[in-house]
Amino acid sequence: NLTRQDLVDYINSHYKAPRMVLAAAGGVNHEELVGLAKSHFGGVSFEYEADAVPVLSPCRFTGSEIRMRDDGLPLAHIAIAVEGAGVSSPDVVPLMVANAVIGSYDLTYGGGKHLSSRLARLAVEENLCHSFQAFHSAYSDTSLLGIHFVSDKHHIDDMMHWTQNAWMNLCTTVTESDVARAQNTLKASLIGQLNGTTPICDDIGRHILNYGRRIPLAEWNARIDKLLTMRSVSVCFCLALLLPWCVQSQMSRPSLAQLDEDTQRDILAVDILNRNGVLNSLLRSEHHLVLRQARAPRPASRVPKRAQQGSRFALSLDVPTSILSVLIDLAKNQDMRTKAAANAELMARIGKRK
């Protein structure tokens, strides 16, 4: 139902001088460009309705799932993402390095199982997908951090499992060498994106709108080199994964309901950092002790009555169906060993009484 007037009204409302950038690159005479800009764009209005640049309300990430099924297509295109940091956040660089650790893959790549990305090697060895790409779509106040992959219908579950596993590895097992490789990969990628006058113009325009100036490559390299250890990547990525979940799960707390939204998010972020079994295990050298304490069995008085009545098996929905039977067998064997030990102890007690 769109009409020409709808488009004209939209342009007149939003295409104002404060939100536009004219960029040029290559063999351009600066004075001539300025003269052309004055003659062609000098009449662009600086004024908005109510004499103010329209400011959108802060963006709030909401998890969701969208599925569009078409059995006529030979391949499935799947993307998963979480909320990331805005373009001006200091966490942008660690998240970019984290994405470089995950890397990308395509069937046309050479190298096969010798690729540097662990997920890429798995994709080759297990024939998991045709391609995948880690992405970070950044905006002024938020971003989407995710992975997109293309797979056939027989490997969707397995690829989804290993994709999520790659994210969790960023929080737990990434090494210093992984970070160093990712830093070099990111630097090379930033240079490769400026291969030509058109991408350079795009880079200039985005930087002026986002930062108010163009950030040179030397400054980007300095920011990347400043990321000295893997812990910056791990902590930043854990926050990206956990903050939306914590906000969603605890927003109903009565003590938070009376506060404004920004204060709620700050309190919940601090709450995440105080969780011993989540982030402290990454920040403290004694994280193994923390994990052992977390795994210690609870006293019988603290175990729900329903759980005391019999054994139950809990399986994550992202576990590939090909290994479900193995996990169930392991759980059953463990349960049988526990029951056998309990029976042996009971028989020993009966024997002593006799």
Side-chain angles (χ1 to χ4, degrees):
N1 297 324
L2 282 175
T3 64
R4 179 184 182 278
Q5 190 58 41
D6 293 328
L7 300 177
V8 171
D9 292 341
Y10 180 86
I11 292 175
N12 291 337
S13 299
H14 298 284
Y15 280 67
K16 305 291 186 178
R19 302 174 72 184
M20 297 174 65
V21 174
L22 175 63
V28 179
N29 183 282
H30 182 73
E31 288 74 16
E32 182 180 356
L33 178 65
V34 171
L36 291 171
K38 289 181 179 179
S39 62
H40 291 281
F41 297 101
V44 176
S45 175
F46 277 80
E47 298 178 353
Y48 288 85
E49 294 182 8
D51 195 28
V53 176
V55 178
L56 299 176
S57 58
C59 180
R60 179 175 176 179
F61 178 83
T62 302
S64 59
E65 178 176 301
I66 300 175
R67 297 193 181 193
M68 300 178 63
R69 180 167 178 170
D70 185 348
D71 293 335
L73 295 176
L75 299 173
H77 292 256
I78 299 173
I80 57 175
V82 296
E83 183 181 22
V87 291
S88 58
S89 170
D91 291 333
V92 166
V93 172
L95 291 178
M96 292 167 67
V97 173
N99 266 357
V101 172
I102 294 177
S104 60
Y105 168 72
D106 191 275
L107 281 175
T108 60
Y109 285 4
K113 63 181 181 180
H114 303 292
L115 293 169
S116 57
S117 166
R118 179 174 179 270
L119 185 57
R121 293 196 300 270
L122 285 169
V124 173
E125 294 172 356
E126 305 296 334
N127 192 28
L128 296 177
C129 65
H130 287 226
S131 65
F132 76 82
Q133 174 69 53
F135 64 86
H136 182 222
S137 301
Y139 305 94
S140 60
D141 58 345
T142 187
S143 66
L144 283 177
L145 184 77
I147 301 177
H148 168 263
F149 65 87
V150 180
S151 176
D152 61 63
K153 61 182 179 181
H154 301 294
H155 296 90
I156 295 176
D157 291 339
D158 289 336
M159 184 60 189
M160 180 66 74
H161 167 75
W162 288 115
T163 295
Q164 295 174 340
N165 178 263
W167 270 0
M168 296 312 300
N169 285 341
L170 287 174
C171 304
T172 56
T173 61
V174 64
T175 64
E176 303 292 352
S177 60
D178 290 333
V179 174
R181 175 186 59 80
Q183 287 173 314
N184 292 331
T185 301
L186 179 58
K187 292 177 183 178
S189 175
L190 292 176
I191 295 175
Q193 291 174 5
L194 303 180
N195 183 24
T197 54
T198 299
I200 289 176
C201 282
D202 177 71
D203 184 68
I204 294 173
R206 286 187 293 105
H207 281 207
I208 296 297
L209 289 174
N210 291 331
Y211 310 111
R213 64 186 181 92
R214 190 189 182 195
I215 300 179
L217 282 175
E219 185 173 338
W220 279 119
N221 289 342
R223 294 185 183 184
I224 295 171
D225 290 334
K226 192 176 180 180
L227 186 67
L228 297 179
T229 67
M230 67 181 182
R231 295 188 178 185
S232 298
V233 175
S234 299
V235 173
C236 182
F237 205 86
C238 273
L239 285 174
L241 291 174
L242 292 174
L243 186 55
W245 164 80
C246 193
V247 171
Q248 183 71 20
S249 62
Q250 299 192 33
M251 195 58 71
S252 59
R253 283 166 50 180
S255 59
L256 294 180
Q258 300 175 357
L259 303 175
D260 61 88
E261 184 175 329
D262 291 338
T263 305
Q264 290 178 13
R265 292 177 71 91
D266 291 340
I267 291 177
L268 294 175
V270 173
D271 190 26
I272 290 175
L273 293 172
N274 287 333
R275 292 174 180 268
N276 289 336
V278 181
L279 288 184
N280 286 352
S281 62
L282 298 174
L283 301 175
R284 297 179 180 176
S285 58
E286 62 269 19
H287 64 276
H288 294 293
L289 176 61
V290 174
L291 291 177
R292 286 198 297 271
Q293 293 174 348
R295 293 170 181 167
R298 292 181 294 175
S301 59
R302 296 176 57 189
V303 178
K305 291 183 178 180
R306 185 176 180 182
Q308 296 180 27
Q309 296 174 358
S311 301
R312 292 181 174 274
F313 306 122
L315 293 175
S316 172
L317 293 178
D318 64 349
V319 176
T321 55
S322 60
I323 66 171
L324 284 180
S325 59
V326 177
L327 293 176
I328 292 176
D329 290 340
L330 290 174
K332 287 181 177 179
N333 291 337
Q334 178 65 31
D335 185 57
M336 292 175 63
R337 286 194 294 268
T338 302
K339 289 181 178 179
N343 291 336
E345 182 180 356
L346 179 61
M347 294 301 295
R349 290 179 180 178
I350 295 176
K352 288 181 180 179
R353 291 178 181 179
K354 290 181 178 180

